[in-house]
Amino acid sequence: MTPMMTPAQMISLSMKTGMMLMEAQMVIGMRMMGMAGLWRVHPSENAMMSSEKVSALGQSAIATSQAIMTGKSPSFIANAALKPIARRTKSNVKRLAARGPGKP
């Protein structure tokens, strides 16, 4: 039987999840401002925001399944599920923030 998560592992996962959620809100805000013409976004941004979710979810599902099938710990499994999504939100924040406010 796999041991439960330690308090340190729970805190670490909570911090990573919280960071991903904050970055996701930043991405949503910048994209919404882009739709309103207040933030410079690439013309393909709207299409990208849909397709990237499918890709990240697929990567997360594969990583999670592999971790479960190889008997990894609950902490490892949760981190494997979060990693592809967090990587995507972090890269979106960097990319969109670099474009900045203003007309495209």
Side-chain angles (χ1 to χ4, degrees):
M1 186 166 136
T2 308
M4 297 301 290
M5 292 173 67
T6 66
Q9 290 170 327
M10 287 183 204
I11 291 169
S12 175
L13 180 61
S14 294
M15 295 295 287
K16 289 175 187 175
T17 302
M19 180 60 75
M20 183 274 300
L21 292 170
M22 285 188 292
E23 289 169 341
Q25 289 300 310
M26 292 168 66
V27 170
I28 291 167
M30 287 183 275
R31 284 179 169 161
M32 297 279 292
M33 287 190 291
M35 288 177 201
L38 302 172
W39 201 266
R40 290 188 299 252
V41 295
H42 194 272
S44 65
E45 192 67 36
N46 290 345
M48 245 179 12
M49 72 180 168
S50 298
S51 65
E52 72 182 8
K53 287 172 181 55
V54 174
S55 174
L57 182 60
Q59 292 171 359
S60 179
I62 290 168
T64 304
S65 298
Q66 288 174 338
I68 291 169
M69 290 188 295
T70 55
K72 302 293 185 192
S73 70
S75 175
F76 189 95
I77 295 166
N79 278 294
L82 181 62
K83 190 174 182 176
I85 298 165
R87 185 173 48 239
R88 190 65 52 96
T89 56
K90 183 179 188 114
S91 69
N92 281 340
V93 166
K94 287 176 86 172
R95 179 177 51 77
L96 289 167
R99 295 187 70 90
K103 300 270 181 195

